[in-house]
Amino acid sequence: MRRSASFWMGGKSRAADIAWAAFGADIPNYVEPFAGSLAVMLARPAGAVGIETCNDLDGFICNFWRSAALFPDETAEAASGPVNECDLHAKHLWLVGRRE
């Protein structure tokens, strides 16, 4: 079974098995609300089935998951640089500026 590697307050990773037991694994259309780590979607016992929708107020999260699914090697390469606080803030400001 696939598991989310992240956990934080408000995350749904601990509730994923309970959710799929209630939904059934083969529902034709699943929407992950407040996507974050996609904990419930990625824990789907049957794997990807039907339509799966990543939904989050922050579209960058959904774009990350789309990139990771379609271009895993390129996404890993782009994300593998050394991170420092100044660079992180500069990239964030640039991305937010592009969104607005």
Side-chain angles (χ1 to χ4, degrees), residues 61-76 78:
I61 289 173
C62 299
N63 285 343
F64 165 78
W65 285 109
R66 182 182 303 119
S67 176
L70 296 174
F71 307 104
D73 293 335
E74 292 87 346
T75 303

Side-chain angles (χ1 to χ4, degrees), residues 13-32:
S13 60
R14 293 189 200 183
D17 293 338
I18 297 166
W20 287 116
F23 297 152
D26 61 350
I27 57 173
N29 187 359
Y30 176 73
V31 177
E32 177 87 21

Side-chain angles (χ1 to χ4, degrees), residues 2-93:
R2 297 174 289 176
R3 292 280 178 200
S4 174
S6 60
F7 171 79
W8 63 87
M9 295 301 291
K12 300 177 291 297
S13 60
R14 293 189 200 183
D17 293 338
I18 297 166
W20 287 116
F23 297 152
D26 61 350
I27 57 173
N29 187 359
Y30 176 73
V31 177
E32 177 87 21
F34 315 108
S37 69
L38 289 180
V40 177
M41 185 185 295
L42 293 176
R44 189 176 197 155
V49 176
I51 298 170
E52 294 183 325
T53 304
C54 172
N55 186 42
D56 199 276
L57 179 62
D58 185 347
F60 292 130
I61 289 173
C62 299
N63 285 343
F64 165 78
W65 285 109
R66 182 182 303 119
S67 176
L70 296 174
F71 307 104
D73 293 335
E74 292 87 346
T75 303
E77 183 179 338
S80 67
V83 177
N84 63 59
E85 195 73 14
C86 185
D87 186 42
L88 181 66
H89 286 291
K91 286 179 180 179
H92 178 74
L93 287 172

